Amino acid sequence: MRQLKHPKHSLHRASTRPPLIRFRLERWHRLSLYGVSGLLAASGILWLVVHYFFRVAGEFGETVNPLEPWTMKLHGAAAMAALFFVGSLLNSHMRRAHHARRNRYSGWGMAALLALLTISGYALYYLASESSRPLWSAAHWILGLLFPALLALHIFLGRRAARR
């Protein structure tokens, strides 16, 4: 007597549709990424505002606002956390979504933008001379201002694709 295989192990599927693969992150992971992204954006914007609009008059002219170093320290700490959480996306989210051909353009755009932000942040801290610092700084904060918009677009496109 021949045993029947379980339908899950059968070579012939009842449906030719590929299995549904979910790319939505677990709640803790999603909230951690949103939190650290918000902290990065807020600390970077706060630094810009304090640096360019709230200079303090000193004995020899304008000087650094006392909030400026603290915003920079907060931004640096958030950047370290962001590197950790973005790295945690490589296998669980990015690789699987890429192979499934889902949300590729905005995903690669996010990866490229994050790489450029990391490089420009590193350059500001370790490579920039006094003459090149304004260029590195402008590049970093312009890219940084694009980040929340691209993140929102990536999330929107991913959720829209998941509803289909």
Side-chain angles (χ1 to χ4, degrees), residues 3-153:
Q3 284 186 335
L4 294 175
K5 288 185 176 180
H6 188 277
K8 185 178 175 182
H9 301 293
S10 173
L11 293 176
H12 302 288
R13 290 184 186 245
S15 170
T16 57
R17 216 158 63 172
L20 179 65
I21 300 172
R22 299 194 58 92
F23 300 102
R24 190 165 186 182
L25 302 172
E26 292 181 43
R27 187 172 192 267
W28 72 268
H29 203 181
R30 199 171 55 251
L31 292 177
S32 298
L33 279 161
Y34 293 169
V36 82
S37 296
L39 189 57
L40 267 173
S43 61
I45 290 169
L46 184 59
W47 180 85
L48 279 172
V49 169
V50 168
H51 181 76
Y52 288 107
F53 299 109
F54 290 102
R55 303 294 284 184
V56 176
E59 188 177 341
F60 302 107
E62 284 187 348
T63 186
V64 174
N65 187 302
L67 284 177
E68 207 171 320
W70 289 105
T71 59
M72 192 57 47
K73 290 173 186 175
L74 181 61
H75 193 69
M80 295 300 164
L83 286 173
F84 172 79
F85 284 113
V86 169
S88 72
L89 292 175
L90 289 172
N91 190 46
S92 65
H93 182 73
M94 295 166 71
R95 184 182 60 84
R96 290 186 310 131
H98 178 75
H99 287 296
R101 299 181 182 277
R102 293 270 305 273
N103 216 1
R104 276 184 163 180
Y105 293 118
S106 65
W108 278 110
M110 286 293 299
L113 181 61
L114 288 168
L116 290 171
L117 281 167
T118 302
I119 291 166
S120 60
Y122 178 88
L124 274 167
Y125 200 78
Y126 292 109
L127 302 177
S129 63
E130 287 305 312
S131 60
S132 67
R133 181 169 302 284
L135 274 167
W136 283 110
S137 180
H140 188 72
W141 66 257
I142 289 168
L143 293 169
L145 290 174
L146 292 174
F147 174 74
L150 187 54
L151 178 61
L153 176 67

